[in-house]
Amino acid sequence: MKIRGRVIVVGLGVMAAAFTMAQRAEATLGGTADSVTTDRAALSAARRATTVLPNYTVQEIVSDAVRIREYVSSAGVVFAISWDGLIHPDLTTLLGSYASEYRQAEHDTPRHMGVRRREVRGSQVVVEKWGHMRNLRGRAYAPALVPAGVSLDELK
């Protein structure tokens, strides 16, 4: 009986870990369009608008402090994110599996005094931030996921 109880406890622990990992795997950049809902909940934001364009769809979510646009390809993959607002959003949530690469690239990228624009390039992700207090902007994208025919200038 004692062994059976331990097996059940271990089984529940494995299931909980798998569920947690599955949620993280869905995280935003590089994730499916369903991850927009996950981001909305994580950021306590409301879905505001969906814009359908020929090569992709833009899903916009808004919180009290920031507006985030997530660009979803016709294959259903989030290939870019942009934002503007009072703060920069939590990029750990938005970058998903690319977050650790971004953090390492950010650490390796020198800062230049007096420059308000910063670009951090990893091997698979690019994050750009600019603006000033109360008007912060940025975008992040995975170059390999950007659909053919989409210009980076469209990601605003």
Side-chain angles (χ1 to χ4, degrees):
M1 235 13 199
K2 228 176 178 180
I3 292 175
R4 182 182 242 174
R6 288 183 182 164
V7 169
I8 290 172
V9 169
V10 170
L12 290 173
V14 169
M15 287 175 54
F19 179 72
T20 301
M21 290 173 68
Q23 283 187 326
R24 288 185 181 169
E26 287 182 342
T28 313
L29 190 62
T32 65
D34 295 338
S35 66
V36 175
T37 303
T38 304
D39 295 338
R40 188 180 63 190
L43 298 168
S44 300
R47 179 175 290 184
R48 187 171 177 191
T50 300
T51 305
V52 179
L53 299 168
N55 292 330
Y56 58 91
T57 300
V58 181
Q59 303 220 14
E60 185 176 282
I61 57 177
V62 179
S63 72
D64 291 338
V66 67
R67 177 176 59 164
I68 299 167
R69 289 165 300 284
E70 298 185 310
Y71 299 82
V72 182
S73 71
S74 56
V77 176
V78 178
F79 64 91
I81 302 154
S82 66
W83 64 88
D84 61 86
L86 302 174
I87 61 171
H88 289 295
D90 179 7
L91 292 179
T92 302
T93 299
L94 294 174
L95 295 178
S97 62
Y98 296 96
S100 61
E101 179 186 333
Y102 164 67
R103 295 282 179 230
Q104 183 62 47
E106 181 181 42
H107 181 266
D108 297 341
T109 303
R111 289 183 171 264
H112 301 286
M113 297 298 288
V115 177
R116 291 186 178 170
R117 185 176 189 95
R118 186 159 196 229
E119 180 178 299
V120 174
R121 287 190 171 266
S123 62
Q124 299 177 39
V125 66
V126 177
V127 177
E128 300 168 342
K129 296 179 178 179
W130 65 92
H132 54 83
M133 187 179 289
R134 303 187 62 79
N135 184 16
L136 299 171
R137 298 174 180 266
R139 69 180 180 180
Y141 56 94
L145 300 178
V146 176
V150 175
S151 168
L152 295 178
D153 293 336
E154 297 174 42
L155 311 176
K156 298 179 180 180

